[in-house]
Amino acid sequence: MPQYPNTAFHLASEDDPGIPAAAALRVVHETDGVDLAAAERAAGQFLQALGISIRSESLRDTPGRMARAYAELFSPRPFDLTTFPNDEDYDELVLARSIPLRSVCEHHLLPFVGTAHVGYLPGRRILGLSKLARVVEHFACRPQVQERLTKQVADWLQTHLEPKGVGVVIEAEHTCMTLRGVQATGSSTLTSTLLGTLRSDARSRSEFLALAGLPT
């Protein structure tokens, strides 16, 4: 089974915690703790080391804002992985398109933003639709690379939902490439992971890519 660093699972129920049949997985992003005061001090030292004075009124509170901003970027919201029986044996593609995505490049700690298209072919269970976006947020809210993020979302859904196939496509603009270095303004990066039937069956793969608005 794939490993998911900093991810913890707890049994939970939205209705009654005492009813095992209704239990869902509570997905939590675990950290070693957030020390905002220490982060604020470090941010102030960082700015001053770059020759930026923080003594003016407009910059005095900037280190604190930086600390809180990055704490928010690295803190996905916990959620319950709610699934339901596939009573009608639905066997067609379920696809959530254009899920907003924002993450932080782990190489420069600069943001990258874009959209994710996430789909699956149901097996015995179907997933609450909002949970597709929750899973994307869960893995995006940390220092990341887009390639890993794409595969983590797909592998996680394959492991916990056990569908017949999973497809994830992410298109994002990386400010570490557009605002610095090569300064390739307007460029975007596209990554994909296809598992199960969406990888092995050409027709299913083409359907997913077409519905996601991508060339087949």
Side-chain angles (χ1 to χ4, degrees), residues 113-133:
V113 297
T115 57
H117 311 293
V118 182
Y120 70 98
L121 287 170
R124 294 178 303 164
R125 310 283 295 181
I126 56 176
L127 183 66
L129 289 177
S130 68
K131 309 310 177 185
L132 294 173

Side-chain angles (χ1 to χ4, degrees), residues 21-35:
L25 279 178
R26 182 73 168 171
V27 183
V28 180
H29 179 68
E30 294 191 331
T31 69
D32 294 331
V34 176
D35 189 338

Side-chain angles (χ1 to χ4, degrees), residues 98-109:
S98 302
I99 298 170
L101 174 145
R102 58 120 171 99
S103 189
V104 177
C105 163
E106 68 179 27
H107 301 137
H108 300 95
L109 288 189

Side-chain angles (χ1 to χ4, degrees), residues 12 33 35 67 107 122 147 157 189 216:
D35 189 338
H107 301 137
E147 297 88 340
L157 289 170
T189 300
T216 60

Side-chain angles (χ1 to χ4, degrees), residues 138-196:
H138 178 78
F139 287 106
C141 287
R142 63 191 71 185
Q144 268 289 14
V145 295
Q146 185 174 325
E147 297 88 340
R148 182 197 304 127
L149 171 60
T150 308
K151 193 168 189 307
Q152 283 179 330
V153 172
D155 286 345
W156 198 91
L157 289 170
Q158 184 69 37
T159 297
H160 292 280
L161 191 58
E162 298 183 347
K164 297 175 182 176
V166 174
V168 178
V169 174
I170 293 176
E171 183 173 8
E173 178 179 325
H174 292 250
T175 57
C176 61
M177 185 168 70
T178 61
L179 299 182
R180 58 158 300 281
V182 69
Q183 298 183 25
T185 304
S187 64
S188 62
T189 300
L190 192 70
T191 51
S192 66
T193 295
L194 303 177
L195 302 175

